[in-house]
Amino acid sequence: MVKARGCDKCNEITGASTLDLLSQDLAKQVRTAYDRIEDRGMATCLFGAGGTCCRNCNMGPCQIIDGVESMIGVCGATADTVAARNFCRFIAGGTAAHVDHAREMVRGLIATAKGETPHEIKDEDKLHKMARIFDIEIEGRDKNEIALELGEKALAEFGQQDGTLTMVKRAPKKQQEIWDREGVTPRGIDREVVEMMHRTHMGVDQDYRNLLKQGARTALADGWGASMLSTELTDIMFGTPVPKRAIVDLGVLKEDMVNVTVHGHEPLLAEALCLAAEDEEILALAKKAGAKGINLAGVCCTGNEILMRRGVPVAGSFIQQEMVLATGAVEAMVVDVQCLMQSLAQVVKEMHTDIITTNYRAKMPDAIHIQFEEHDAYNSAKRILTRAVNNFKKRGNFYIPKDKKQDVVAGFSHESINYMLGGRFRQSYRPLNDNIINGRIRGIAAMVGCEHYKHPDDVHFKIAVELIKNNVLVLATGCAAQALGRRGLMRPEAATEYAGAGLAEVCETVGMPPVLHVGSCVDNSRLLIALTEMVNEGGLGEDISELPACGTAPLWMSEKAVAIGQYFVSSGAHVIFQNLPVSGSKAVSRHLFEEMMDLYGATWDVEEDPIKLARKMIAAIDEKRKALGIDKKKERILMDMQMRRELEGKALAGAGCEGPGKRD
Ligand code: NFS
């Protein structure tokens, strides 16, 4: 392997495109995370890593050692309390990020319904579906009127103080009963985050189990509240994704075009940029500057949003954001919120590239700020693109790793999975459930979350290949999805190349890849709905905890990943990370890894080795198959129509379902 620079570890970490780029003279002139890792010597604080460093008041900081009397906090806080508090603050921080994002999307829907944005209501079916969930009258009403009422009701969920969040009722009945029994049904979205912050303040909640209970409620307010609202309302505005071919990796940048990369999370601005990039005035300006046009490319989760809905190429994931700039070929990187490295402006210091911040919440020293006005979205987008076009002439040396791009098929919303598997005339999860029951598909794995620098780049790839080889269908979101896309697992041909015989047969029949790109990080809510649909379809138990399904966010770095992990566990899905910052407390570790089973029917787990991690996921899936009695190959019975009807009738009754028309 070519050694680009930095320590050997960094060279293991880098993917082919990054490695190629870092070996170029231009990239050698900038400092990236790879250099900073080397500077830091990869040192981590053991107290921080174990979750037992308490900085929540000014008597410390206190570094706690579990079971050592002289090493508890000045206030008397034990390792258990501190580890639980820190873990819960991770959940609160991650949830807050999703909540604020979701709020903007709801406000965007309201503004769109009022005709104040360049967007329109694109998915009326979903609008009606959501309206029914929120008890909104549909008959004889205009789509904008319905959308406005939906937006206002959704916005009220954030400030709601009592009762329960509306979308909780989409979960399987038994799941809702479990949440009620455990006292974790979320009341209001903001309320859960505020209460979590309060309870982790010095001198408030000192019972780790009680803290983690509120952690679960906060995370559920994210998954079944904020994130789900964001996904559904964004689909209503910009369209529910359907499978599309696209390309990913650094090679998507174009030599002869104005390269504008959109980085961050909220697709309102990115969608406006997509519209403005086709504006005649902008195109004429670009031509005048000597460019063939505007090449928009995504980075991080904004990238996933426009990839899913528009097939816009993705230049890079979280771990590649500096590399995208180090090509010297980007005229502007437009950022909004979350996962933005502060180093971005430093990487382009000697280049023609503008880093443009657009959200008052997220400003950066040395960047240019052009506030994105949702009520004047089109003109905001044009202003940004004009700046980028003007930079094109100033482009100096650049290097685009042109052969480093990969084909992907993305856009697997849970609706399109339905369609893919069920066909136009029989859209349902029945074929998926049947294939799980007959063993062609062993189960479902969710691979989600970030990428970081502590472990080799191949982690996602290794886990996914082990899973699909063993006939586990992988649904991926976020940077994990991008990493798998870069490695070629999102091409339909990957089924033949990597998947086990059963999964390959299913994929080949419908022409889908064995790893499905389900969207951005907030779109993990699509996975919750997909799992719910599988339960409702019948034959695989009564709640999510009975499904042969398991999740992982191996290379997690952001607090959001912990919130996501917790809402999956609290929704009944087993979740395995490579590490969690709770190892400093035996009791908290036991609670997460064992006791949560009695509460939610699922637990957290950790495993650093990617292959072992994948095997643990497969073992968890097999355990569920055994409990469902579908672990042994059954003789194939050819069913006639009457037998099929009886079976479907039983399945619907078993799921407490009132029939296909009534389900959301
Ligand atoms: Ni989600 Fe991770 Fe960030 Fe997206 Fe990527 S780093 S927790 S995947 S871009 S939010």
Side-chain angles (χ1 to χ4, degrees):
M1 186 190 281
V2 188
K3 185 168 158 114
R5 66 164 187 255
C7 61
D8 288 339
K9 183 94 183 167
C10 303
N11 281 284
E12 265 179 60
I13 293 166
T14 43
S17 56
T18 310
L19 198 62
D20 181 4
L21 185 77
L22 284 177
S23 65
Q24 305 299 316
D25 288 346
L26 185 68
K28 282 181 187 162
Q29 291 161 29
V30 299
R31 292 183 62 71
T32 69
Y34 296 98
D35 301 298
R36 293 191 294 276
I37 290 173
E38 203 183 358
D39 292 350
R40 294 174 53 81
M42 301 286 279
T44 45
C45 161
L46 287 180
F47 292 99
T52 51
C53 172
C54 185
R55 303 182 289 105
N56 292 12
C57 84
N58 198 32
M59 290 193 290
C62 295
Q63 292 156 335
I64 322 280
I65 299 180
D66 200 0
V68 177
E69 187 54 37
S70 56
M71 287 295 282
I72 60 171
V74 175
C75 69
T78 61
D80 305 341
T81 309
V82 172
R85 272 185 193 155
N86 287 334
F87 191 76
C88 287
R89 284 208 165 187
F90 262 66
I91 294 174
T95 300
H98 286 149
V99 169
D100 227 23
H101 168 165
R103 193 189 334 267
E104 285 309 293
M105 299 317 296
V106 175
R107 284 160 48 87
L109 181 77
I110 293 174
T112 299
K114 288 181 178 168
E116 295 169 357
T117 73
H119 311 301
E120 55 178 331
I121 304 304
K122 282 223 178 111
D123 188 340
E124 278 194 67
D125 278 352
K126 187 163 270 196
L127 173 69
H128 289 174
K129 200 184 276 183
M130 288 295 289
R132 278 194 288 273
I133 294 169
F134 277 82
D135 285 329
I136 293 168
E137 186 58 49
I138 299 167
E139 257 353 279
R141 295 181 82 194
D142 170 68
K143 64 179 181 183
N144 288 321
E145 214 178 308
I146 302 170
L148 182 59
E149 189 175 342
L150 173 63
E152 283 166 352
K153 285 199 163 163
L155 198 59
E157 301 259 307
F158 291 81
Q160 183 172 292
Q161 300 304 321
D162 298 303
T164 54
L165 294 182
T166 304
M167 278 192 298
V168 160
K169 67 183 179 209
R170 297 181 89 180
K173 263 238 137 13
K174 197 171 155 203
Q175 210 72 50
Q176 297 176 47
E177 285 162 15
I178 291 170
W179 295 335
D180 285 343
R181 182 193 73 204
E182 297 305 326
V184 296
T185 309
R187 298 154 295 186
I189 297 174
D190 291 348
R191 177 172 180 188
E192 304 309 348
V193 180
V194 171
E195 186 172 316
M196 190 75 266
M197 292 306 285
H198 175 202
R199 285 167 63 168
T200 50
H201 186 277
M202 188 272 149
V204 188
D205 203 347
Q206 296 160 24
D207 175 338
Y208 68 91
R209 289 195 179 95
N210 205 36
L211 277 160
L212 290 162
K213 181 169 153 178
Q214 178 59 19
R217 178 141 64 171
T218 308
L220 289 170
D222 179 346
W224 294 88
S227 286
M228 200 173 281
L229 275 176
S230 183
T231 296
E232 303 291 36
L233 271 50
T234 307
D235 281 354
I236 289 172
M237 253 187 301
F238 302 138
T240 300
V242 292
K244 287 190 176 51
R245 282 198 177 271
I247 44 172
V248 298
D249 213 347
L250 298 174
V252 309
L253 296 175
K254 300 237 170 85
E255 200 170 295
D256 48 6
M257 294 181 94
V258 178
N259 290 309
V260 179
T261 53
V262 232
H263 176 11
H265 283 75
E266 296 172 1
L268 277 168
L269 166 65
E271 284 283 336
L273 285 167
C274 291
L275 297 177
E278 287 169 8
D279 185 286
E280 283 185 11
E281 205 183 316
I282 295 290
L283 289 175
L285 259 184
K287 294 238 156 70
K288 212 168 142 204
K292 284 200 176 143
I294 310 284
N295 180 37
L296 271 187
V299 176
C300 281
C301 274
T302 291
N304 286 323
E305 298 270 1
I306 48 180
L307 168 76
M308 289 283 286
R309 295 196 181 85
R310 290 177 174 266
V312 171
V314 169
S317 61
F318 172 78
I319 203 171
Q320 289 176 302
Q321 57 186 287
E322 294 172 301
M323 311 313 144
V324 172
L325 296 174
T327 58
V330 175
E331 276 55 59
M333 179 178 265
V334 188
V335 305
D336 52 36
V337 290
Q338 299 171 24
C339 304
L340 320 167
M341 288 195 191
Q342 187 167 345
S343 58
L344 294 178
Q346 307 316 315
V347 173
V348 298
K349 216 164 188 169
E350 305 298 327
M351 294 180 190
H352 72 306
T353 314
D354 280 339
I355 304 293
I356 305 177
T357 56
T358 57
N359 189 310
Y360 73 92
R361 295 171 181 84
K363 293 193 175 178
M364 265 184 211
D366 302 321
I368 295 155
H369 186 77
I370 301 179
Q371 181 61 39
F372 170 65
E373 304 290 352
E374 69 192 23
H375 295 99
D376 190 23
Y378 195 67
N379 288 325
S380 290
K382 276 177 75 177
R383 269 196 295 281
I384 290 167
L385 292 182
T386 305
R387 231 194 130 97
V389 171
N390 290 339
N391 279 348
F392 183 72
K393 277 197 176 144
K394 296 184 235 158
R395 194 193 280 178
N397 289 338
F398 66 93
Y399 175 78
I400 299 172
K402 275 194 236 145
D403 56 331
K404 302 293 188 301
K405 55 183 176 226
Q406 184 58 262
D407 292 326
V408 297
V409 178
F412 292 92
S413 54
H414 90 86
E415 290 87 348
S416 58
I417 297 175
N418 224 341
Y419 176 80
M420 278 303 277
L421 290 162
R424 184 190 288 272
F425 299 109
R426 195 176 177 230
Q427 289 186 34
S428 84
Y429 274 72
R430 192 71 251 152
L432 176 61
N433 283 24
D434 283 347
N435 278 315
I436 292 176
I437 293 166
N438 68 30
R440 275 193 200 96
I441 296 179
R442 195 168 188 155
I444 303 292
M447 288 190 67
V448 314
C450 334
E451 290 181 285
H452 63 64
Y453 305 83
K454 281 189 199 166
H455 299 278
D457 186 37
D458 258 1
V459 167
H460 285 118
F461 180 74
K462 283 182 188 158
I463 295 173
V465 168
E466 186 66 21
L467 289 168
I468 61 179
K469 194 172 84 189
N470 285 287
N471 297 311
V472 175
L473 176 65
V474 175
L475 307 186
T477 63
C479 292
Q482 294 182 9
L484 298 173
R486 283 203 300 276
R487 296 300 309 265
L489 295 181
M490 289 181 173
R491 298 165 301 128
E493 309 81 65
T496 320
E497 294 162 16
Y498 298 100
L503 177 61
E505 189 188 332
V506 176
C507 291
E508 283 159 8
T509 308
V510 292
M512 70 180 195
V515 177
L516 304 182
H517 195 319
V518 184
S520 65
C521 238
V522 288
D523 291 340
N524 283 313
S525 61
R526 295 191 200 279
L527 299 175
L528 295 177
I529 295 299
L531 296 172
T532 302
E533 290 280 338
M534 288 168 67
V535 172
N536 288 343
E537 193 57 55
L540 292 174
E542 288 176 44
D543 70 74
I544 293 171
S545 73
E546 292 185 57
L547 292 174
C550 188
T552 183
L555 292 175
W556 75 279
M557 72 75 204
S558 139
E559 292 165 319
K560 288 175 283 181
V562 181
I564 293 163
Q566 185 61 61
Y567 72 61
F568 272 111
V569 170
S570 302
S571 301
H574 198 53
V575 170
I576 312 178
F577 279 20
Q578 278 187 305
N579 69 307
L580 277 175
V582 293
S583 54
S585 159
K586 285 188 219 68
V588 170
S589 299
R590 194 171 50 244
H591 190 67
L592 297 186
F593 304 149
E594 294 169 27
E595 291 171 5
M596 281 197 176
M597 183 59 92
D598 295 334
L599 309 180
Y600 311 117
T603 66
W604 286 93
D605 200 354
V606 283
E607 174 54 60
E608 194 159 323
D609 179 85
I611 300 296
K612 285 188 189 153
L613 192 155
R615 294 204 177 133
K616 270 191 170 185
M617 292 177 80
I618 295 167
I621 285 168
D622 284 350
E623 211 175 289
K624 304 286 172 170
R625 292 187 66 86
K626 193 167 176 206
L628 287 165
I630 55 169
D631 54 328
K632 299 206 181 65
K633 266 220 169 330
K634 296 225 172 72
E635 251 186 61
R636 232 174 133 198
I637 302 169
L638 285 175
M639 285 198 275
D640 61 18
M641 263 328 265
Q642 182 56 31
M643 288 164 84
R644 196 167 273 287
R645 269 191 218 113
E646 278 170 22
L647 192 77
E648 287 188 357
K650 265 190 216 155
L652 291 175
C657 185
E658 296 165 70
K662 302 250 170 94
R663 267 173 282 149
D664 60 63

